[in-house]
Amino acid sequence: MKKSRSLILLLSIVVVLSLVLSACGSTSKTSSQTDTKNTDSTKTSSGKPQDGGDLIVGSIGSPTTFNPYYSTDIPSGDIEGFIFNGLTTVDKNLKPVGDLAKSWDVSSDGLTYTFHLKSGVKWQDGKPFTADDVVFSYNIPRSKDYTGARGSDFEQIKDIKALDSSTVQITLKEPYAPFLTTTCSYGILPKHILGDVPIKEMDKADFNTKDPIGTGPYKFVEWKDGQYVKVEKNPDYFDGPAHINTITYKIVPDANALLTQFQAGDIDYMDLQSTDLATGQNLVQQGKAKIQTTLALDYTFIGYNEQNPLFKDPKVRQALTYALDRNKIIKSVLNGDGKIANTPGSPLEKWAYNPDVPSFDYNPAKAKKLLAEAGWKPGPDGILEKDGKKFSFTIKTNQGNTAREQIAQVAQQMWKQIGVEATPKIEEWSAFIQEVTTKPWKFDACILGWSLSVDPDPTAIFASSQAENGLNFVHYSDPAMDKLMAENTSITDQTKRGEVIKQIQAGIAQDQPYSFLYYPNAHIMYNPKLQNVQQLSAADYYHIKDWWIKQN
Amino acid sequence: MASYIIRRILVAIPLLLGISIISFAIIHLAPGDPTSLLMDPHIKPSDRVAFIHAYGLDQPVYIQYFKWLWQMLQGNFGDSLIHQGVTVSSLILSRLPNTLLLMVVSALLAFIISIPFGILSATRPYTITDYTVTTVSFLGIATPNFWIGLVLLMFFAVQHPIFPAGGVQTLNAPFSIWDRIHHLILPAFVLATADMAGLTRYSRSSMIEVLRQDYIRTARAKGFRGSRVVYKHGLRNSLMPVITIIGLIIPSFIGGAVVVESIFNWPGIGLLFLDAAFQRDYPVIMALTMISATLVVIGNLIADILYAIVDPRIEY
């Protein structure tokens, strides 16, 4: 009896520990990076908008806070989008347009912006919105006591002041082109509520989670942790009240559950993954769903760690890209649901996209030739060798992303054709990210995706200054490119800046720090009763105010 | 008895301490950290470093451990690293009722369904009934929980929408008990299946064991009818070992909850555990690990106390 008890106790401990371990090792969370759905808009509408109805949207992942100066995740950003307005927002061509600002003037040196605010805008508690609110909000991330992660977007501000109750003047340290689309898109917070909270403690303010108040089309109602966030329409919204009464942002554990719940009618709107497209199209045929598709503002790539001597020579990296049949990858891995990428820019950002960069289309013969030029010769087992070292490396990617896992295998086979040996290694997301992006960069090659922002500045990813502590974890470095990147943000004329960015794209494409693979498509799937849904690359729930639900 | 319980509790202390050291080490030595989601070109890497520093994650693991232990001894599980401005205790408390409800209902379901079947098959050994029950319960043991969950979900929620596909209540509808029960049935049943098969086998063999005893034979010889013997004399004695399983089932429910809660979108601590593990929310992981370890210890203690209650012959 005694023996069996201790055995049971031992077993129980094993159960507990294995619980921890299995929880650590499980699959099916996808990265936040490429899950942002950024797409161009398509309008679908039939008949006259009707008011009323409740919308349930599904999301993988929980929000963390509803304060735009502290949140870093997509769900929080989605809900902040319902509740708050920025000074500016973007139109369908990703150009800045006024949101709380009616208009703005820029001084000729590009340093001083004067914003004229819309009149008659009220906070959701009835108090009037004024210029002081803008000054207050932008000063949060500029404060020494600020503890959030959003400071870098506000670093360029030298001075900000309210000229009168409806005019704000912001002076920059130096011309900063992304200012209007990036910095000015942050939600404005009410000074009359948060003004007394010390900035040191603002990350923990009740306002952020229990009682956020904004100027937006929807008012916060309730957040049930792990279940949903609910908002209701703001009848006094300055741009006219929304059509849909309430939006419930339902939190669902994973993509499979999301799809199941959509099929069961528990969710009206969701992002549809490429891998589920067939199921989605089936539902469309049954009249149970509508799908909208456009190019995502993302790209997927294979990055090469240039600290590894294997990848130092640009010829080698070009050869690796030549050896990849990207058309075949898109066909076999994505079911054709994407478009070949040759640059780090997106075709959606038309004014800054260079379609004529050097491209390395599938050509294994050329790949072999380039590798031979770089001194690599086939060894006895067919694998290339140089100075007694084999061309052999591991290619890492994160678990749970089927497309990336398959790319790793396909790339392995394609590279084998040219005598390069790659071993796929699949790791859990958090572990993978730490190994790849932080010192000492424990990877040879990795498959990842970037979700691009509205502004096409490539500095954070490719500048050599960002190698040690930044996101340039492949350690790409080119002085000429560094110079152009430093220049790009200081040119306020969009056409001129576009030219510089196009040059950068061409240069980076030539150097191939990444094998740029493809731009995936983004899909949204929704209940056919939902009308006027607008899909936009840069913003989820674009113009949510104008969406409406067909009653019966 | 009292001294036995005190002794057991005293033994539990070093045990829990050991579990906490091992878990803490495993969790912190696993690669990755809570900033793995801060991969945004608009977030400066220095902010990531500042975050790690602010939460003391750059200190040696043993110092972090002692800080955590000291905090925990004062009854403070700390703050979540992911849910901003929320304490771990309030996070767990907000999820606990859902998990408790699921656990209690599925435990009841497991007992209510499996014990009668076990007895049924014990009283008719080597008949078709027995073989059917045995086959079904072996299938139950062999089938993974998540698979049963997915099949039931596909069948009863998507193809024949009798039950909801997940969640604890219908959104945008007024509260009703029936609605809650409606949402509870599938996940509770799936969670119960994990233990149902074993319980059936257990109560069957226990009953067969008892029915072979001399006193049953004596009772039968004295002319008591079959069913009376079984239920009056046999049941009580055969249930004894079965009841003690209650204590041992509790921890297995928490393990099962991680799977079932994520399939059925049931916002309990299992789902919290899963999210915390992915996001490396260390304080939450540690708190939940310690809670389940404590439950295991308590579960065992309850099992032993129940032994004493159902069988007065046991002395401590």
Side-chain angles (χ1 to χ4, degrees):
Chain A
M1 186 68 89
K2 188 112 198 189
K3 210 177 201 171
S4 77
R5 261 209 309 277
S6 51
L7 182 69
I8 286 163
L9 195 62
L10 183 71
L11 282 176
S12 313
I13 295 170
V14 171
V15 167
V16 173
L17 286 179
S18 60
L19 186 67
V20 177
L21 292 174
S22 64
C24 292
S26 313
T27 53
S28 85
K29 281 272 145 111
T30 43
S31 83
S32 67
Q33 276 185 323
T34 46
D35 284 350
T36 341
K37 297 289 180 253
N38 295 322
T39 36
D40 230 329
S41 79
T42 352
K43 257 193 179 181
T44 50
S45 181
S46 60
K48 211 170 154 257
Q50 293 171 307
D51 283 348
D54 301 304
L55 177 68
I56 300 175
V57 303
S59 156
I60 306 170
S62 291
T64 56
T65 178
F66 307 135
N67 186 325
Y69 299 91
Y70 293 90
S71 66
T72 51
D73 58 296
I74 294 155
S76 300
D78 284 347
I79 290 157
E80 284 157 10
F82 298 146
I83 303 174
F84 301 104
N85 294 100
L87 272 187
T88 65
T89 179
V90 287
D91 67 6
K92 285 165 192 164
N93 298 316
L94 308 191
K95 291 200 169 161
V97 289
D99 196 359
L100 285 172
K102 190 170 60 193
S103 63
W104 55 85
D105 314 311
V106 191
S107 66
S108 55
D109 58 2
L111 287 177
T112 307
Y113 288 75
T114 310
F115 292 93
H116 307 283
L117 306 179
K118 284 182 184 161
S119 54
V121 177
K122 282 202 168 81
W123 290 102
Q124 287 159 358
D125 62 358
K127 297 267 175 13
F129 158 78
T130 72
D132 285 338
D133 294 312
V134 181
V135 176
F136 164 73
S137 300
Y138 286 8
N139 276 330
I140 297 172
R142 297 179 68 223
S143 160
K144 273 194 197 110
D145 294 338
Y146 174 65
T147 56
R150 294 298 187 181
S152 48
D153 282 338
F154 295 85
E155 266 172 359
Q156 296 299 332
I157 298 181
K158 186 173 154 201
D159 184 43
I160 170 167
K161 58 185 174 216
L163 297 183
D164 59 53
S165 71
S166 65
T167 318
V168 180
Q169 195 179 66
I170 301 176
T171 315
L172 303 181
K173 290 174 188 159
E174 52 192 72
Y176 183 60
F179 178 68
L180 276 177
T181 47
T182 305
T183 314
C184 295
S185 68
Y186 277 82
I188 304 297
L189 301 177
K191 187 188 177 190
H192 69 276
I193 297 175
L194 282 168
D196 296 334
V197 180
I199 288 177
K200 215 170 209 154
E201 289 156 29
M202 194 169 284
D203 60 329
K204 296 192 164 78
D206 274 357
F207 176 91
N208 301 348
T209 51
K210 296 189 178 75
D211 200 16
I213 285 177
T215 51
Y218 283 90
K219 293 200 277 191
F220 177 79
V221 178
E222 167 178 46
W223 176 12
K224 279 230 162 170
D225 172 53
Q227 296 186 47
Y228 61 85
V229 180
K230 192 169 180 175
V231 295
E232 65 180 5
K233 81 169 166 191
N234 172 8
D236 304 319
Y237 186 52
F238 64 84
D239 206 13
H243 295 300
I244 297 170
N245 275 344
T246 68
I247 301 173
T248 309
Y249 193 87
K250 191 174 187 183
I251 296 143
V252 178
D254 57 47
N256 292 330
L258 203 60
L259 198 59
T260 316
Q261 298 210 12
F262 185 92
Q263 284 174 281
D266 291 351
I267 282 175
D268 301 314
Y269 176 99
M270 61 180 276
D271 286 334
L272 187 68
Q273 296 190 332
S274 294
T275 40
D276 294 329
L277 197 56
T279 316
Q281 277 157 350
N282 214 350
L283 290 172
V284 172
Q285 278 174 359
Q286 296 167 26
K288 290 177 181 165
K290 276 189 179 171
I291 293 178
Q292 279 188 38
T293 300
T294 45
L295 215 53
L297 198 56
D298 299 349
Y299 67 86
T300 298
F301 62 87
I302 302 180
Y304 305 106
N305 186 353
E306 291 182 27
Q307 287 180 309
N308 184 330
L310 275 184
F311 305 117
K312 271 251 157 65
D313 190 342
K315 271 186 189 163
V316 169
R317 302 192 298 263
Q318 290 166 355
L320 291 174
T321 311
Y322 268 131
L324 292 173
D325 188 346
R326 291 175 289 171
N327 267 321
K328 203 170 164 189
I329 291 178
I330 293 171
K331 238 179 237 159
S332 63
V333 174
L334 291 187
N335 291 318
D337 198 28
K339 191 180 164 218
I340 284 189
N342 287 315
T343 84
S346 167
L348 293 173
E349 287 161 336
K350 286 188 193 78
W351 62 273
Y353 175 69
N354 187 349
D356 302 318
V357 299
S359 67
F360 301 89
D361 298 329
Y362 184 53
N363 191 340
K366 212 157 181 184
K368 279 184 189 162
K369 205 179 135 227
L370 278 173
L371 285 169
E373 282 172 25
W376 290 93
K377 294 191 178 64
D381 53 355
I383 294 170
L384 296 176
E385 281 178 7
K386 183 181 170 182
D387 307 329
K389 266 193 84 179
K390 281 189 177 186
F391 204 128
S392 170
F393 61 93
T394 58
I395 178 164
K396 283 188 180 176
T397 194
N398 64 299
Q399 189 183 45
N401 188 317
T402 329
R404 288 183 197 160
E405 289 175 14
Q406 289 175 4
I407 290 169
Q409 289 161 8
V410 174
Q412 179 190 27
Q413 287 163 16
M414 288 174 175
W415 282 333
K416 207 175 169 187
Q417 313 286 322
I418 58 162
V420 169
E421 186 181 61
T423 317
K425 203 171 170 209
I426 314 292
E427 294 183 342
E428 184 260 354
W429 170 253
S430 186
F432 165 68
I433 282 303
Q434 191 179 34
E435 292 195 342
V436 169
T437 65
T438 58
K439 249 181 194 161
W441 303 282
K442 281 193 271 179
F443 74 104
D444 302 327
C446 67
I447 307 173
L448 257 172
W450 281 119
S451 171
L452 302 171
S453 65
V454 175
D455 188 85
D457 175 22
T459 311
I461 298 170
F462 293 108
S464 51
S465 60
Q466 303 300 312
E468 233 7 60
N469 287 310
L471 295 174
N472 181 6
F473 42 79
V474 294
H475 289 75
Y476 171 70
S477 171
D478 182 321
M481 289 298 126
D482 280 343
K483 198 167 156 259
L484 287 176
M485 279 188 260
E487 224 176 276
N488 101 80
T489 51
S490 62
I491 306 170
T492 36
D493 181 283
Q494 207 185 49
T495 322
K496 283 184 192 155
R497 185 177 171 224
E499 289 309 314
V500 171
I501 292 175
K502 285 176 190 175
Q503 274 186 54
I504 299 173
Q505 289 175 358
I508 290 175
Q510 178 66 34
D511 286 341
Q512 291 286 303
Y514 296 169
S515 285
F516 298 99
L517 297 178
Y518 57 81
Y519 305 107
N521 281 333
H523 312 274
I524 51 172
M525 179 162 77
Y526 53 92
N527 190 322
K529 281 185 180 171
L530 193 57
Q531 305 293 324
N532 202 23
V533 174
Q534 305 189 37
Q535 193 189 12
L536 184 72
S537 45
D540 291 335
Y541 310 102
Y542 188 66
H543 282 195
I544 183 83
K545 176 185 103 60
D546 299 328
W547 298 17
W548 57 279
I549 296 171
K550 212 175 203 169
Q551 315 287 327
N552 301 315
Chain B
M1 181 74 184
S3 78
Y4 172 76
I5 294 175
I6 292 169
R7 214 162 60 228
R8 284 289 301 269
I9 291 173
L10 286 180
V11 169
I13 292 172
L15 184 71
L16 288 175
L17 214 57
I19 294 174
S20 76
I21 292 173
I22 296 172
S23 321
F24 200 89
I26 293 175
I27 290 163
H28 283 259
L29 293 179
D33 67 48
T35 63
S36 61
L37 297 175
L38 297 181
M39 284 269 294
D40 178 337
H42 288 281
I43 295 173
K44 269 192 308 187
S46 61
D47 289 328
R48 186 171 166 165
V49 177
F51 177 93
I52 288 180
H53 183 72
Y55 284 93
L57 298 174
D58 48 357
Q59 290 167 339
V61 173
Y62 66 91
I63 290 184
Q64 291 186 50
Y65 174 75
F66 284 116
K67 277 191 174 163
W68 171 83
L69 188 67
W70 177 239
Q71 239 187 358
M72 217 203 57
L73 291 176
Q74 294 166 309
N76 180 1
F77 283 125
D79 289 343
S80 163
L81 302 181
I82 303 293
H83 301 258
Q84 293 182 22
V86 182
T87 63
V88 174
S89 335
S90 65
L91 204 55
I92 292 175
L93 281 180
S94 76
R95 302 286 191 100
L96 200 58
N98 286 329
T99 295
L100 282 181
L101 183 69
L102 186 63
M103 278 170 60
V104 169
V105 171
S106 59
L108 285 177
L109 266 181
F111 277 93
I112 291 171
I113 296 175
S114 44
I115 291 176
F117 275 111
I119 292 166
L120 189 72
S121 108
T123 49
R124 292 171 181 73
Y126 313 112
T127 60
I128 289 188
T129 318
D130 182 28
Y131 288 134
T132 313
V133 171
T134 305
T135 311
V136 170
S137 57
F138 270 120
L139 274 179
I141 291 173
T143 318
N145 220 345
F146 73 88
W147 190 81
I148 299 178
L150 288 177
V151 168
L152 292 184
L153 199 61
M154 208 57 213
F155 191 77
F156 286 115
V158 176
Q159 287 165 353
H160 308 278
I162 302 167
F163 292 108
V168 288
Q169 66 191 77
T170 306
L171 296 180
N172 296 322
F175 176 86
S176 86
I177 299 265
W178 166 240
D179 182 55
R180 294 300 294 258
I181 295 174
H182 198 205
H183 280 78
L184 189 58
I185 293 173
L186 276 190
F189 179 77
V190 173
L191 189 53
T193 53
D195 291 294
M196 237 151 48
L199 268 178
T200 309
R201 300 295 306 152
Y202 211 72
S203 52
R204 176 186 180 272
S205 58
S206 173
M207 192 64 166
I208 285 179
E209 185 80 8
V210 168
L211 291 181
R212 280 198 200 121
Q213 298 292 318
D214 289 343
Y215 66 88
I216 297 284
R217 208 173 297 145
T218 315
R220 281 209 169 120
K222 281 183 172 173
F224 284 112
R225 278 187 301 119
S227 64
R228 185 138 177 240
V229 174
V230 171
Y231 295 110
K232 177 126 198 241
H233 300 278
L235 185 61
R236 194 188 143 124
N237 290 318
S238 75
L239 277 190
M240 189 187 84
V242 177
I243 285 173
T244 57
I245 297 185
I246 293 176
L248 305 176
I249 279 184
I250 293 172
S252 81
F253 274 121
I254 294 194
V258 174
V259 175
V260 172
E261 287 183 4
S262 65
I263 291 174
F264 289 96
N265 197 16
W266 189 268
I269 56 176
L271 207 49
L272 183 66
F273 207 151
L274 200 64
D275 285 339
F278 278 118
Q279 298 170 325
R280 302 291 191 272
D281 198 344
Y282 302 131
V284 175
I285 303 176
M286 275 314 290
L288 289 175
T289 307
M290 290 321 291
I291 288 173
S292 32
T294 312
L295 279 179
V296 174
V297 172
I298 294 175
N300 276 279
L301 193 57
I302 291 176
D304 290 338
I305 295 170
L306 285 176
Y307 262 117
I309 293 171
V310 292
D311 188 354
R313 288 171 304 175
I314 294 175
E315 278 179 31
Y316 294 98

